[in-house]
């Protein structure tokens, strides 16, 4: 729902690193987005195409690596993926669980020319 | 020649850095700040009113109200006795650190003990944007239903305080409290919780006592921290 704000941040970061690398053009961005980060890739792409126009990043492709949300049971150690709604540990039914992956939301790398 | 530049940077890093600046500013001024989050209608403004009315005379309070377009909430906070500042997000679904930074300019921090930031009513987006506040407070309410922790894990996970509001409606709506609390426990074990009704006032005292105690320990921490 806040993809415009997010995409603006993304553009700023990519431009900063593109300029620092003395790039003529940024061609690709590699993003890692966890399932719990509540970011819709299609919306980011939509805003990206609009706001990157006329910048070093115009026409750059966005690549999303989605990270599923993962939990671990504190009682039996069983790791499991969040499948839709939150559930207790499927192995021992304990509610003592921790989310260990799925919050990721970062720009991993960019590819540049020049 | 195409080449790859490794970055590994959080996309909201700029927001996080601004939030840290806000926090430093609040710390210097000795203002304890709360970020109040909830879905629309859960009772954020009602809790602000109860809080301001309940602590008036004991703490000097300011309220920053985030809203899409109106000043209805800030008006209510002001009527209750707080110095209220309105942020109209212009449709944006959450407050961010930039908006709070601007709003902080409007507030006389030297004359403030407690700052309450009332976020935009939304159970998804606000949790992603740090503001620089000291404590995050999530308000759940009975008529929203008992399944919200399971459906919005992101909002329940990272808060310091959970309030269950509208407990006066428990006899009238289906709300399995044990189911709700089990979901909360999975996401945020041991989170500081209050059950209350802003309408009847039941349970509000404990919440007020918590704030009062927090401001005391906040001041004590600052007094013992050298160089502040």
């Amino acid at each position: 729902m806040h993809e415009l704000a997010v995409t603006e941040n993304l553009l700023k970061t990519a431009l900063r690193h593109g300029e620092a690398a003395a790039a003529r053009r940024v061609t690709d961005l590699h993003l890692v987005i966890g399932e719990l980060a509540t970011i819709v890739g299609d919306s980011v792409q939509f805003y990206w195409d609009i706001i990157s126009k006329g910048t070093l990043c115009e026409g750059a492709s966005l690549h999303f690596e989605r990270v599923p949300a993962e939990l671990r049971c504190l009682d039996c150690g069983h790791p499991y993926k969040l499948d839709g709604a939150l559930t207790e540990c499927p192995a021992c039914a304990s509610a003592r669980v921790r989310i260990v992956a799925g919050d990721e939301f970062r720009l991993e790398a960019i590819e540049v020319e020049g | 020649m195409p080449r790859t530049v490794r970055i590994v940077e959080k996309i909201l890093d700029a927001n996080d850095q601004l939030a840290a600046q806000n926090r430093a500013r609040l710390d210097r001024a000795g203002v304890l700040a709360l970020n109040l989050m909830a879905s629309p209608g859960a009772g954020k403004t009602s809790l602000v009113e109860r809080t301001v009315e309940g602590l008036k005379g004991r703490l000097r309070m300011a309220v920053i109200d985030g809203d899409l377009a109106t000043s209805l909430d800030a008006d209510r906070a002001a009527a209750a006795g707080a110095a209220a500042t309105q942020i109209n997000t212009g449709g944006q679904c959450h407050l961010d650190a930039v908006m709070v930074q601007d709003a902080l300019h409007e507030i006389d921090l030297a004359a403030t003990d407690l700052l309450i930031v009332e976020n935009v009513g939304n159970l998804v987006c606000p949790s992603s944007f740090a503001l620089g506040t000291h404590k995050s407070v999530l308000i759940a309410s009975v008529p929203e239903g008992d399944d919200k922790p399971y459906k919005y894990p992101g909002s329940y996970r990272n808060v310091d305080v959970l309030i269950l509001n509208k407990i006066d409606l428990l006899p009238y709506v289906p709300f399995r409290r044990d189911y709700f609390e089990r979901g909360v426990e999975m996401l945020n074990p041991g989170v500081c919780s209050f059950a209350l009704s802003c309408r009847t006032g039941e349970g509000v005292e404990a919440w007020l006592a918590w704030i009062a105690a927090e401001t005391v320990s906040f001041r004590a921490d600052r007094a013992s921290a050298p160089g502040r």
Side-chain angles (χ1 to χ4, degrees), chain B residues 55-158:
Chain B
L55 294 172
K56 221 178 334 190
R58 291 157 72 187
L59 294 175
R60 299 167 299 171
M61 287 166 282
V63 175
I64 295 177
D65 258 298
D67 215 332
L68 300 185
T70 70
S71 67
L72 295 172
D73 291 353
D75 296 345
R76 283 172 62 185
T85 302
Q86 176 74 30
I87 301 177
N88 284 133
T89 64
Q92 186 151 289
C93 50
H94 60 273
L95 292 180
D96 62 27
V98 182
M99 296 182 208
V100 170
Q101 187 176 51
D102 290 343
L104 287 179
H105 291 298
E106 314 273 313
I107 295 169
D108 183 3
L109 293 177
T112 304
D113 301 309
L114 175 71
L115 170 66
I116 303 175
V117 182
E118 183 180 340
N119 218 311
V120 179
N122 181 339
L123 214 46
V124 181
C125 310
S127 64
S128 299
F129 292 84
L131 304 180
T133 45
H134 299 91
K135 301 279 181 190
S136 298
V137 181
L138 179 69
I139 307 170
S141 66
V142 167
E144 284 170 58
D146 51 24
D147 58 355
K148 291 302 167 286
Y150 301 87
K151 295 180 70 176
Y152 300 90
S155 287
Y156 280 80
R157 277 186 70 199
N158 299 316

Side-chain angles (χ1 to χ4, degrees), chain A residues 1-2 9 13 16-17 21 31 86-88 93 95 97-99 103 105-112 114, chain B residues 1-12 14 93-94 122 124-125 129 150 153 157 182-183 186-187 189:
Chain A
M1 273 202 274
H2 46 258
N9 275 284
T13 309
R16 181 157 45 80
H17 286 278
L31 300 155
L86 179 71
T87 58
E88 286 105 8
V97 297
R98 287 286 180 282
I99 293 173
D103 273 330
F105 187 33
R106 57 176 194 267
L107 179 59
E108 198 79 350
I110 56 175
E111 286 169 42
V112 302
Chain B
M1 211 21 211
R3 60 206 154 93
T4 301
V5 180
R6 262 183 73 71
I7 294 174
V8 193
E9 197 170 296
K10 283 171 70 182
I11 293 166
L12 293 176
C93 50
H94 60 273
N122 181 339
V124 181
C125 310
F129 292 84
Y150 301 87
R157 277 186 70 199
R182 194 165 165 85
M186 276 195 268
L187 293 163

Side-chain angles (χ1 to χ4, degrees), chain A residues 20-34:
Chain A
R24 200 161 35 80
R25 201 163 89 82
V26 176
T27 57
D28 298 86
L29 283 81
H30 297 275
L31 300 155
V32 176
I33 299 183

Side-chain angles (χ1 to χ4, degrees), chain A:
Chain A
M1 273 202 274
H2 46 258
E3 276 74 2
L4 177 57
V6 160
T7 312
E8 285 168 343
N9 275 284
L10 179 64
L11 180 62
K12 264 185 224 158
T13 309
L15 287 174
R16 181 157 45 80
H17 286 278
E19 281 159 16
R24 200 161 35 80
R25 201 163 89 82
V26 176
T27 57
D28 298 86
L29 283 81
H30 297 275
L31 300 155
V32 176
I33 299 183
E35 192 181 331
L36 295 173
T38 63
I39 297 299
V40 181
D42 285 349
S43 300
V44 174
Q45 182 77 57
F46 171 79
Y47 288 122
W48 176 259
D49 294 341
I50 296 168
I51 67 171
S52 66
K53 276 212 179 83
T55 73
L56 214 57
C57 292
E58 179 166 350
S61 310
L62 302 180
H63 306 275
F64 299 98
E65 182 192 335
R66 310 293 309 209
V67 179
E70 196 179 309
L71 295 98
R72 185 177 294 277
C73 176
L74 294 182
D75 284 329
C76 76
H78 181 70
Y80 61 105
K81 298 256 192 293
L82 186 72
D83 182 20
L86 179 71
T87 58
E88 286 105 8
C89 171
C92 76
S94 168
R96 295 185 62 239
V97 297
R98 287 286 180 282
I99 293 173
V100 293
D103 273 330
E104 296 77 3
F105 187 33
R106 57 176 194 267
L107 179 59
E108 198 79 350
I110 56 175
E111 286 169 42
V112 302
E113 279 176 2

Side-chain angles (χ1 to χ4, degrees), chain B residues 181-205:
Chain B
E181 281 166 2
R182 194 165 165 85
V184 171
E185 185 58 24
M186 276 195 268
L187 293 163
N188 200 334
V191 65
C192 178
S193 300
F194 300 95
L196 52 81
S197 163
C198 287
R199 196 175 71 83
T200 66
E202 183 186 355
V204 171
E205 258 328 297

